[in-house]
Every structure is written in structure tokens, then in C-alpha cells.
Amino acid sequence: MRIPAAAIVFLALLLESCTSPAPNPAKEQDWFRLTFGPSDAEPADWSGSLEVPAGRITHLSPWRFDKDDTLDAAGATWKCHTRRADTPIPEDWFVGALHIIPKEMKRALGPLVPNGLYFGVEGANEVKIRTAQGLASFVPSRVAFGAPLLLLNGRVAVERSAAAVNLTARDGMEDDYPAAAGGWIAWTAYKAEKEELIVSRPDGSGRQSIAEGEFFRPFLAAGGGRTHLLVSVHTSDTWKIGMVTEQNGKWGRLDLISEGGPDLMPRAVVDSNGHLRAVWQGFRDGRSQVLGRAWNGREWLDPMIVSDNRSNAWEPSIAADSQGQVHVVWDAYDDGVYNIYYRGQRGGVFQAQRRLAPSPAFQAHAAITVDSSGHVWVAWDESGPNWGKDTGFLLKSNTGTMLYDGRQLRVVKLGGAGLETAPPLPAGFFEQAQLAADKQGNVWCLVRRRDAKLHAVYSPSLRRDRLQQYSIWDHAVLRLSESGWTQPITLTNSAGRNDHRAAISVESDGAVLAAWSGDGRLYAKPYPYVKNEVYAARLPSAPPSGAIGATAWSPAAVAVRPVHPAEAGQIERIRKERIQTQGKSLRILRGDMHRHTDLSFDGDLDGSLWDFYRYTIDAAGFDYSAVTEHNAGDDMEYIWWLVQKSNDLFHYPGRFTPVYAYERSLRYPNGHRNLVWAKRGVRSLVRSKEEEEGVEGAARLYEYLRKTGGLAMSHTSATLMGTDWRDNDQNLEPLVEIYQGDRTSYEHEGGPRAAKGSDPLTQPGGFRREGFVWNAWAKGYKLGVQASSDHASTHISYAVLLAEGDSREEILDAIRARHAYAATDNILLDVRSGDHIQGDIFTGTARPKISIRVEGTAPVDRVEIIRNNQFVFSTRPGKASVKIDFEDGNPPAGESYYYVRVLQRDGQIAWSSPMWMRRP
């Protein structure tokens, strides 16, 4: 892994003040999380020390320490404070650009952010906590899992956490995506563009490598004296499901059990007959489906299609009851909304599927288990309606829900007459549930928890005039019994990115086995800079539970205004269209070349890497897309590997093609550029100090692109992240992002949706008029145009390519040829001159002729032709379908460029790429 210099300095500071990684705990160790200030109203000094009169301290590490907090692990002392958070509002986008907070943007400080630390003790009958706010003490044996103890009149909270065993310490690999069952932990381990499939006992013994290659999301299922490991395996042309079985401690050979592909997200269960039942998400017949297969102990039965949806089905989960029946849940995008679907088996035959809770709300990431009484429990994530539809900076009101605008965890029981809801969950931001049930009648729920949203938290980790935009997630376990839910049980060292996954299972002795991963990020630097580790812990069996109370539930009726009701037809029309030019028939591909996830430091509104694909494939209906994390995950090899792997996982030839891409972010005047490739494996180009300072131009970048076959596209060009157009190579930088949904248009000052130099509130990212695209064209640069979203914004930016096909090579060929246009809606725009089309450079006629065809999504208010930054034609057709023929009767001498701008009555816009015509 390549670590930035700033991170190395920061790591050195931490190593001076914090403990080294804790050794694996012995069984008798007790681990806790200590929270300072959970009920405080004002910031306070919580410096102090930890004492154990009998026994010893085995572990001490920070939880929410910031850069000016320090920890002396050897002396068990610390200096730390609690702080206030700032209330995030959209105007935060401007502050980083202006370096000030304008008067109209000032607001009251937000809630207090507690601080704290983790510690472990061995043989202790009392723990004393001395702080600047007073002395507190407690007896470890009296703190139960899920029942925090409050001290100092509620100002200090002590919660028991799982004693984590680090299974991967100092192995030199990036360890991720753990699974747990049958007394085994499995995970993937990455190093130097290779992966291994690893298994181990929860205490770290018995570690072995099962296979080498490339894998995704292993899953373990146990029963009948065997443990089965299923995983997606990257074959020569796609991803397929592989399985390997363990018996008596010996693992067999990894064999493929699926055909076709890509096949992803395997889940399995051993039913009461001892048969293995597996399900997964597989792409067939133009959409993803839930597929299944059974193994009777001797042979695999024929595969079957479990889901019966018209649209894409995602991420199945499976459980079995004591009667030999199996139950499957998943989510699917029928009717333009993700809802949860269930299909149960009766008498060995699957019954008709049903939508569990029809709702306009986003429902996804389902999990299922069956309790000891035979009740089926299902959990899923919820977010707002119209998920992934129109959101963006310039919209007067968002009609959609941003990809990570919020999450609510829903847990229900399938009753005979309908759904019954579980008791209310404790306060918290929970998602991505994994469920397990024990023989004592308890239901266990492992969740991904947003531990802190640091957007707009003032911190000495950054300059005081800048606002943080980070979030931190960790894992926690909750138990549901007749008494309701416990409080969350924190899984130590689980902080990391949003898409980190964890696993939970109930072992034969009744103990709960959990496995999770974390990447070493801290509150002071909430971004991965160490390595991914895999941890395991056993939670002791819980007391028996009586019947869990649940009440009848159905989704509340919500009046939601449908958005884009005609979109499916518009997309189909565009996909059927062919643009004829110079003997070629070109397809129109809709996409986005600039989109982030939480893998970027400022991507906490963008959701996870995996939700990116839900959005681009389903909500936006794109034909191609690009994940463009900042500097390929801050030049971290493993983050870049994850992104490129995702590009292959969700490559559906003929339907959806992700390209390999990242954003190379430099300050003005070099600016931000998105880089794209048709091939995998190109490492990121580390930015130089001279580039950051504007002393060095793009020469080194262009040489890198020549050697690797990549292309660049500038974006946010008229901001402090933009450029003065000091550099251009038309063969390496053929397109520019003329409009961005998260900000504005960069066509020209005064243009539609463009920032105004006189109004700071129109300038998210700052204002540099030198960066308007008209200035680049005036310099003679041959730049075509596209529109993309960047952060947060969805469904209002379209990078439309005219390509011979949808392969990665054909997509890059279209970019090189500048065969592209930008749009804010599903507008079809065909601009040509004779046999040439937008983006072409050619010798024309003495009186250039331009033909324009528009198929709008609303009546077209204006069609304008711009020649050399001058408006030479304008008409108001007043209808959605428009055809125009224009002849320039007074063209200037030499070369001129012409492009078209279309403005609809509803405010939607399309910009063609220019055509450069030389007079004969």
C-alpha cells in the first residue's frame, strides 16, 4: 500500500501517543468502551487515568480522540476533551471555496460530540477511572452485554464490548469481507494484485489458504458435520459461484457450482434434512435474478430461478426452519422502487413470491432468520421515496432522495395474517443487518452503525476555516428477547468504510460468533491509512427468552408524486436510436463519468460502492458509468483494487459497462480531472508538490496517459478546483464536463445554470472565470462536452456518448472522437453537417450547413447555434420533436466551431459537442 506523506506524519504522531495493536485477548479478559460526556451540554476536559487495583490492563486505545488528544498506553493516562459539532447545511459547500463563513451562512453550533476510549482488563475485580470531572469506579462482572453502566451522574458510560481477536495482525495483506459459521472464519486477503481465500478458527489457530485468484464476499454455512464455504470467483470471462467443503477440519477443493454470470452475493443454509441450499444474484436474460441450487450431500440438483421480478433482483438471504422448509428474501426494482420480496417453500415446492411491504420508500439489503419457535424474522434498510431521482445544487426542490440521505433499519416477523413489527430499536443509525437466532429464543442482529457523522465538525485535524465531510462507521450487535432490544454491543476495531461487511452465527454450544473487518481509521483521521484487519469474537450464550412481543404492522400510506413517469419509454427510444455517420451506425449510450462513494473522503452523502451500482443500473438506467474516487482512494492500492474489482463484478455486456476511472484532484490552476481507461491495472499517478502549487503543468500527466492508454476530462473548470486552460492535448483530453449536477454549468459566465461572479451564493467551489469552457474553445482547444454528477446529485446529469458498441474500448473510442453531448434529462440530440457529426473536425463547404434533430422530454423553448462563442441562430419551436436545417451565409475565414444548445420550457438543457469546420 502506498501511504501519503501526510498520513505517515500523522501515523508517527499517533504512535507516540497511542498503544500498539492489542494482543489477542485471553478468554478471561473483559473489554469495555468508555464514553465521556454522553449527557453533557457543554464541552469539558476529560483528561484522566485508568487504575486496576488487582489484575492488569491488557488493552487501551482511543475511540474519538482528535489530533490534540493524547494517550499514554503504558502509563494508562490520557488528555482529551469533548467538542461541539456544527449543524450541516447545504451552504457548507461554499465555505471551503470562500475560506470564510459569509454572514448569511452563520448558524448556531450543534450538539456535543462525546469522546472516549476502549480498554481491556484481566483478573480485575474493580476498575477506577480518574478524570478532570471526578472519580468513578465499577466492578467488571456487573456490566452485562447490551446494558451500559452510567457513572458520575450519567456523564460517563461504560459498555461491555466483545474481546476482539485479531486474526490478521502483521500478515502484510489487506484482509476483508469475513464470514463466520461452524467454528470457522473465512475472508479474502489481498496483496500485490492477487487475492487469497483464507480460513481460520476464531482464536487464530488452523489458518490456511484455500485458493488463490480473485474472490468476492465469501459466506459460510454449517450443518450435518460439515462447513461449506461459498464465494464469487473471477473466472477468465465473468464471475461464478464456487464452493469448498470442510469435514473433520480438512478443507477440500474449490469447485464452481454456477454457470453463466456474473454471479454474486452467495448465501446458503443447511436445512433440517442436511441438504445445502444456496442462493445468489445472477445476471441472466438482461437482468439480475435470484438463482438457487441444492446439494443433497451426493450431487448438485439443477439450478433454479427463485425470483420472479420484471426488473433487477438484488442480494438474497436464506434461512431454514426445523420442518425442512427454506425461506428466501431479496429486494428488486419492480415499478421503479426497491422493495423487499419473500418466497417460502412448502412441501418441497416454492410458493408464489410476495412483496412484503409495498411502499414508495427505498427498501434494500434484506436479511432473514428463523427463531426456535419457527417464526420468520426479516430485516432491511429503508430510505426515502424516489431514491436516486432528481437531486442537485440548482434544483429549487429535490424530487428525489439522495443515495445516502438517511437509513432506517426495519425488523419484522412474518405472521399468519401479515407482518408484525419488532419492538422499537434503540436510538442509532443502523443498517446492513445480519440476523441469527439461538435455541434460547433470542434473535441477534449485527448492524453497520454510523458511529459519527463529522460533516462540519470543527477539528484541529483540518484548518479551522474548513469543514470536515467525513463519516465513520463501525459494527455493533443487538439482541432481541421478550424484554425488547439490548443496547448495541460495540465490536471493537470495526471502524471503517460504509461497505465493510460482517458476519454472525450461533454456534452449537449456544455462543454467538461474530466476525468483522476494520481499516484502522480514527476520529482524528477518518480515512483508511493503516490496513484492513479481520477480527473475531465470541459472545456468551444469552438467557432463555419467552415469546418476543410484536405488533401488527403495514407501511404507512405516503403520497409521493411520481417523477419521470415517461422515463422508461424515453430511455428505450434513445437505446433504439442509431446515428449514421461515415458508414458507421452509432448507438447512444447514457452514463455518468464523475461519481463518488464513501471511499472518497468527502463521499458520506454518496453511499457505498455497491449502492453506486444500484443507482447507475436501476434508478438512472445508465448504459455505462465511472466510479471516480479522489486520487484512486488517496493513492491507496487496495481502494483502487476494490473499485476496479467492482467494475468487473457489475459488467453486464450488452446492458451495462463500468469503465476504470478515478479523479485526479489538484488545486487551480491545474485543476481536477477524471481519468478513464479501457483496461484494468493502471496504478494511480501520485501528485507532485509542483503540480499542487501550479509550477508544474500537465506534461507528466499526459506522458502517463500516453503510456497507459488513458484519457482525461477536466471538470468544475471555473472554480478553485478548476483551470486557466494552460494545458491541452486533444488526443489525451478530448472532453470537458460542461455541467455538473452537484454545482453549476461552466459553459460561459451568464449562461444557463452558470455561476455569477457577482453572487458568491452561486459559486459552490469558488469562482474563477478563466475556467469557463468558452475560454478553452477560444484558445483553439478541441474539446467535446459531457455532463456528470460528482457528489450527492443524482439523475440530472447525463454524459451521452455516440459509440459503435458498449465495450470499454468502444466507449473510449467515442470519447476520443468527441462524439458526445451533455444533457440534464433524457434528451435525444443529433447534430450533424453532411456525413459528419458533433465532435468531428473536417473541411466543410463555403457556406457551412448544420442539421439539428431534437427529441425532447418537454416542449423545446429555444434552440441556439453558437459559432466561435457568438450566437448566430436562435429559434423557439415550442414542441418536443424538432428538426432544423441551418446554413451560415457569412462564415469567417479559416476554421470555425459550431455547437448547439437546447433549452426546454421545463428548464432542462442539452449541449452538443462542437464541430470544427475549415472553409475549403
Side-chain angles (χ1 to χ4, degrees), residues 711-774:
L711 298 174
M713 288 171 278
S714 288
H715 65 81
T716 53
S717 55
T719 72
L720 296 180
M721 298 167 283
T723 178
D724 59 2
W725 301 112
R726 57 182 51 199
D727 295 299
N728 181 258
D729 184 318
Q730 70 181 48
N731 297 315
L732 300 173
E733 198 162 6
L735 294 183
V736 61
E737 186 180 288
I738 197 170
Y739 172 73
Q740 182 185 104
D742 190 36
R743 292 183 176 85
T744 60
S745 164
Y746 304 103
E747 182 185 9
H748 63 88
E749 190 171 4
R753 301 200 188 192
K756 299 177 182 178
S758 59
D759 186 357
L761 296 181
T762 67
Q763 305 169 15
F767 185 76
R768 295 303 298 250
R769 58 173 46 89
E770 302 93 329
F772 280 114
V773 177
W774 272 19

Side-chain angles (χ1 to χ4, degrees), residues 793-863:
S793 173
T794 51
H795 206 263
I796 62 171
S797 305
Y798 298 84
V800 187
L801 298 178
L802 312 179
E804 290 191 70
D806 68 346
S807 71
R808 292 184 175 113
E809 291 77 10
E810 289 166 320
I811 287 172
L812 261 70
D813 285 344
I815 296 172
R816 287 190 184 94
R818 297 166 298 279
H819 290 164
Y821 66 90
T824 64
D825 203 355
N826 296 306
I827 300 169
L828 193 159
L829 177 59
D830 181 7
V831 179
R832 60 178 57 246
S833 180
D835 206 21
H836 295 281
I837 63 172
Q838 53 187 306
D840 283 347
I841 305 168
F842 58 95
T843 299
T845 61
R847 297 167 65 92
K849 297 179 180 180
I850 297 174
S851 297
I852 304 167
R853 183 165 65 94
V854 182
E855 297 295 339
T857 57
V860 174
D861 183 59
R862 278 181 291 162
V863 176

Side-chain angles (χ1 to χ4, degrees), residues 661-738:
Y662 73 87
E663 176 179 331
R664 196 162 187 267
S665 305
L666 292 162
R667 296 192 302 268
Y668 180 92
N670 279 317
H672 291 203
R673 289 175 167 98
N674 291 320
L675 314 182
V676 297
W677 291 266
K679 65 179 181 180
R680 182 174 173 179
V682 177
R683 292 292 301 274
S684 62
L685 177 66
V686 177
R687 298 158 293 171
S688 70
K689 180 181 178 182
E690 291 75 17
E691 284 179 297
E692 284 282 10
E693 294 175 349
V695 176
E696 178 186 348
R700 192 163 63 96
L701 170 64
Y702 289 158
E703 182 60 25
Y704 164 72
L705 294 173
R706 287 189 195 95
K707 289 181 178 179
T708 60
L711 298 174
M713 288 171 278
S714 288
H715 65 81
T716 53
S717 55
T719 72
L720 296 180
M721 298 167 283
T723 178
D724 59 2
W725 301 112
R726 57 182 51 199
D727 295 299
N728 181 258
D729 184 318
Q730 70 181 48
N731 297 315
L732 300 173
E733 198 162 6
L735 294 183
V736 61
E737 186 180 288
I738 197 170

Side-chain angles (χ1 to χ4, degrees), residues 444-483:
W444 297 80
C445 183
L446 188 154
V447 296
R448 193 67 172 150
R449 174 177 61 179
R450 189 167 70 186
D451 181 55
K453 181 172 174 59
L454 306 183
H455 188 87
V457 172
Y458 286 100
S459 164
S461 298
L462 294 179
R463 286 174 19 210
R464 290 286 184 178
D465 61 347
R466 299 297 295 273
L467 300 179
Q468 292 206 47
Q469 302 179 65
Y470 302 95
S471 285
I472 292 181
W473 294 267
D474 69 359
H475 279 111
V477 175
L478 303 95
R479 178 171 57 87
L480 177 61
S481 69
E482 59 184 333
S483 302

